[in-house]
Amino acid sequence: MPKHCILIGAPIDAGQRRAGCLMGPAAYRVAGLAQTLRDLGHGVEDMGDVDIVPATDATCDNPAVHSLAEVVGWSNALRTATDSALNTGFPIIMGGDHSLALGSVAGAAAHAAAKGKPLFLLWLDAHSDFHTPLTTTSGNLHGTPVAYFTGRDGFDAFGPFPAVIPPENICLFGIRSVDPAEHAALLEHDIEINDMRVLDEYGIVKPLRDFLDKVVAAGGMLHVSLDVDFLDPSIAPAVGTTVPGGTTIREAHLVMELLHESGLVTSLDLVELNPFLDERGRTARLMVDLVASLMGRKVFDRPTRSFG
């Protein structure tokens, strides 16, 4: 079924220290994301890039944390933009580093709560991003969003998360880099963790379908957050946090195709694309191709598996 896709630019690189992610939204536009969606029969509305007001009164007790005012400002703006876009269509938030999810997922959670539906989260990433502003030693807030969604302490500057996501509604998929403090905290939460060991042992399909079946059973909405480093850096070099051993092109497309077949995805983040590190737009084009698979592009039509 055709969707009304709403493109939201989030040129943020304040959540980490390597400049370049702010060029991400422009790279997606140049790589033809809008036209690709139109070619698949979807409507497209590009809202441009979000404007922010830095939260100059934001404070944190951890002196390592940097750019807090800017990240809180982005979070506030993206929460409003995503919540509003969900009223009329399918938001695609074009980043920008992964701290943008502090706002986009908050907006999705607020919308789901207003609709009386549970929100589920599929985190396609090399990292668990389960630090808090109080536990991070790097001070990079792009490593904190999942902790915010589950209601962990330390996010006073951001305000309460609008509707805390139960840990069992979150699936970390493809992770392969977890700090010791994050590891210890994850053991205290019932988050579904499908790291690369699980995917190597069981394959892509079963773990993902099992999670999607949970979404169906609960009648939930599904937000997908796709980080460039979900992919192996040999095929997607335009990211500042490269971790070897990521998914292949075919594995990543299979994930997207399964998500399309499920019909469950209601909003999408595209994060951590740093065009300054790319090779002639190679990574941007691959990310656009993955969105195309999520939105219905396929090589050969086949019967769709029913979920639930």
Side-chain angles (χ1 to χ4, degrees):
M1 173 180 283
K3 296 183 183 293
H4 178 60
C5 299
I6 300 174
L7 305 184
I8 300 170
I12 174 175
D13 62 5
Q16 39 84 60
R17 295 182 187 274
R18 189 158 192 174
C21 284
L22 57 80
M23 297 186 290
Y28 286 119
R29 292 182 176 108
V30 171
L33 178 58
Q35 190 58 51
T36 296
L37 293 168
R38 292 189 184 101
D39 290 345
L40 291 168
H42 302 292
V44 179
E45 179 182 4
D46 191 337
M47 302 298 293
D49 293 345
V50 171
D51 292 323
I52 72 156
V53 177
T56 54
D57 59 343
T59 61
C60 179
D61 290 338
N62 182 356
V65 169
H66 64 90
S67 307
L68 180 63
E70 291 80 6
V71 175
V72 172
W74 278 108
S75 176
N76 292 337
L78 288 169
R79 172 177 171 171
T80 299
T82 304
D83 189 356
S84 176
L86 278 163
N87 287 318
T88 57
F90 181 89
I92 300 175
I93 298 86
M94 306 179 297
D97 70 61
H98 221 154
S99 67
L100 70 82
L102 291 159
S104 63
V105 179
H111 182 86
K115 294 291 185 182
K117 292 178 175 290
L119 181 68
F120 287 74
L121 174 68
L122 181 63
W123 198 256
L124 303 174
D125 197 328
H127 306 86
S128 62
D129 293 338
F130 207 57
H131 273 296
T132 77
L134 299 179
T135 67
T136 175
T137 55
S138 70
N140 295 332
L141 291 171
H142 71 165
T144 67
V146 180
Y148 185 42
F149 312 151
T150 56
R152 294 188 68 197
D153 293 335
F155 291 91
D156 292 351
F158 294 87
F161 193 74
V164 169
I165 304 176
E168 60 270 20
N169 287 13
I170 298 174
C171 178
L172 307 181
F173 201 87
I175 65 170
R176 54 196 187 277
S177 178
V178 181
D179 290 346
E182 292 177 293
H183 184 272
L186 284 167
L187 293 177
E188 299 176 357
H189 294 76
D190 193 24
I191 292 174
E192 182 170 327
I193 300 174
N194 289 308
D195 60 9
M196 289 307 296
R197 163 64 190 267
V198 171
L199 301 187
D200 287 343
E201 189 168 353
Y202 296 100
I204 293 284
V205 177
K206 187 180 187 309
L208 181 55
R209 281 183 169 163
D210 287 348
F211 180 69
L212 295 175
D213 283 340
K214 289 169 58 177
V215 183
V216 171
M221 299 176 63
L222 177 60
H223 183 94
V224 173
S225 204
L226 173 60
D227 191 312
V228 171
D229 69 22
F230 173 65
L231 306 162
D232 192 83
S234 65
I235 60 171
V239 63
T241 52
T242 55
V243 184
T247 54
T248 66
I249 289 177
R250 256 322 313 154
E251 288 170 333
H253 275 290
L254 179 56
V255 168
M256 297 299 120
E257 290 163 7
L258 292 170
L259 289 172
H260 171 73
E261 290 174 4
S262 77
L264 295 170
V265 182
T266 48
S267 47
L268 173 68
D269 296 330
L270 304 174
V271 304
E272 296 288 349
L273 175 67
N274 187 333
F276 187 75
L277 304 175
D278 211 356
E279 300 169 356
R280 300 187 178 184
R282 172 186 179 188
T283 306
R285 290 194 301 271
L286 174 54
M287 290 287 281
V288 169
D289 284 344
L290 291 175
V291 176
S293 289
L294 173 63
M295 301 303 289
R297 181 191 286 171
K298 57 187 70 175
V299 175
F300 184 76
D301 288 326
R302 52 177 50 79
T304 299
R305 175 187 182 272
S306 60
F307 285 79

